[in-house]
Amino acid sequence: MTKKERYNRVIEWFEQSMPVAETELHYENPYQLLVAVILSAQCTDKRINMITPVLFKAFPTPEAMAVSSAEEIFEYIRSVSYPNNKARNLLGMSRELVERFGGVVPNDFDALVSLPGVGRKTANVILSVVFDRAAMAVDTHVFRVSERLGLTNGSKNPLQTERELTANIPEHLIGRAHHWLILHGRYVCKARRPDCLNCGLTSVCHHYSRENK
């Protein structure tokens, strides 16, 4: 099977089995999504969705968050991973968002990654979900599932995975493909124990073929 054939079969299966694929983070505007994605690093979306309603009520706008303190923000996010660092990043992000961008989440990659707490993955999520750009955010699920399926071959880091996926997935599907791979990794192709019996991609999966020789 050629790489093109593998990609075509994977995309075809996802289009049929998961026609609707979108973020599971709850948000109402770009600012809220940016906050939620920053918080979600090394933490589950379920946990983030539990704490953000109260957080967004306390800080409904970047302007409201910008005049608070890291200590105050911490009290709302103390149950997430690395709350001290994330509280400082949220405070810094909101202040720069207000001071440099008029409180508006920018639609430019370089501008996004210049904000505290915003790395390549977070910037690509915002560009894809909010601005409908062909951006591939690579988290641990995307990295793992891509390698197991054979969509990538020995990628050493998320940037390599991102480049290989965007080079082989049609541009208009890149945003959906990001969610396909995340959701598949979250519920089927799990890190410790992939549920191969309930996976429709075993016929093209490198990992499955290696484990079942």
Side-chain angles (χ1 to χ4, degrees), residues 134-178:
M136 174 59 71
V138 178
D139 68 353
T140 56
H141 296 303
V142 174
F143 188 84
R144 177 181 71 255
V145 172
S146 299
E147 187 67 21
R148 283 181 177 171
L149 288 174
L151 300 178
T152 56
N153 297 302
S155 293
K156 294 180 172 61
N157 55 62
L159 181 56
Q160 285 186 359
T161 296
E162 177 188 331
R163 287 173 173 169
E164 192 160 0
L165 292 174
T166 54
N168 289 282
I169 296 173
E171 185 173 328
H172 72 283
L173 291 176
I174 288 175
R176 285 171 63 197
H178 157 69

Side-chain angles (χ1 to χ4, degrees), residues 11-56:
I11 289 171
E12 181 182 8
W13 183 82
F14 274 123
E15 285 189 305
Q16 292 177 355
S17 64
M18 202 185 299
V20 177
E22 55 193 17
T23 182
E24 293 186 315
L25 291 170
H26 298 164
Y27 70 98
E28 294 181 356
N29 54 58
Y31 156 71
Q32 288 188 357
L33 181 62
L34 181 56
V35 170
V37 177
I38 290 173
L39 288 172
S40 71
Q42 296 179 288
C43 196
T44 66
D45 287 2
K46 182 178 180 180
R47 166 59 54 183
I48 302 309
N49 289 336
M50 289 172 63
I51 69 162
T52 49
V54 177
L55 178 70
F56 294 151

Side-chain angles (χ1 to χ4, degrees), residues 1-193:
M1 182 184 299
T2 66
K3 176 174 284 190
K4 182 176 178 58
E5 289 172 334
R6 186 180 304 278
Y7 268 89
N8 286 343
R9 289 180 64 177
V10 168
I11 289 171
E12 181 182 8
W13 183 82
F14 274 123
E15 285 189 305
Q16 292 177 355
S17 64
M18 202 185 299
V20 177
E22 55 193 17
T23 182
E24 293 186 315
L25 291 170
H26 298 164
Y27 70 98
E28 294 181 356
N29 54 58
Y31 156 71
Q32 288 188 357
L33 181 62
L34 181 56
V35 170
V37 177
I38 290 173
L39 288 172
S40 71
Q42 296 179 288
C43 196
T44 66
D45 287 2
K46 182 178 180 180
R47 166 59 54 183
I48 302 309
N49 289 336
M50 289 172 63
I51 69 162
T52 49
V54 177
L55 178 70
F56 294 151
K57 185 175 181 179
F59 309 111
T61 64
E63 289 81 3
M65 185 174 282
V67 296
S68 66
S69 66
E71 292 75 17
E72 187 177 358
I73 296 171
F74 173 87
E75 293 303 317
Y76 292 92
I77 67 169
R78 59 191 311 149
S79 64
V80 309
S81 58
Y82 308 105
N84 285 299
N85 286 339
K86 290 178 180 177
R88 288 192 293 269
N89 283 335
L90 288 180
L91 179 62
M93 178 277 292
S94 61
R95 287 179 174 175
E96 292 201 20
L97 206 57
V98 172
E99 293 170 5
R100 295 168 51 207
F101 302 103
V104 178
V105 175
N107 63 357
D108 175 76
F109 178 86
D110 291 333
L112 284 165
V113 296
S114 73
L115 296 169
V118 179
R120 187 175 192 89
K121 185 207 78 172
T122 298
N124 280 336
V125 170
I126 299 303
L127 291 175
S128 174
V129 175
V130 175
F131 300 108
D132 199 26
R133 302 282 184 81
M136 174 59 71
V138 178
D139 68 353
T140 56
H141 296 303
V142 174
F143 188 84
R144 177 181 71 255
V145 172
S146 299
E147 187 67 21
R148 283 181 177 171
L149 288 174
L151 300 178
T152 56
N153 297 302
S155 293
K156 294 180 172 61
N157 55 62
L159 181 56
Q160 285 186 359
T161 296
E162 177 188 331
R163 287 173 173 169
E164 192 160 0
L165 292 174
T166 54
N168 289 282
I169 296 173
E171 185 173 328
H172 72 283
L173 291 176
I174 288 175
R176 285 171 63 197
H178 157 69
H179 295 299
W180 284 337
L181 294 169
I182 284 180
L183 295 172
H184 194 65
R186 186 172 292 164
Y187 297 112
V188 180
C189 194
K190 301 174 185 178
R192 294 185 180 180
R193 189 175 297 176

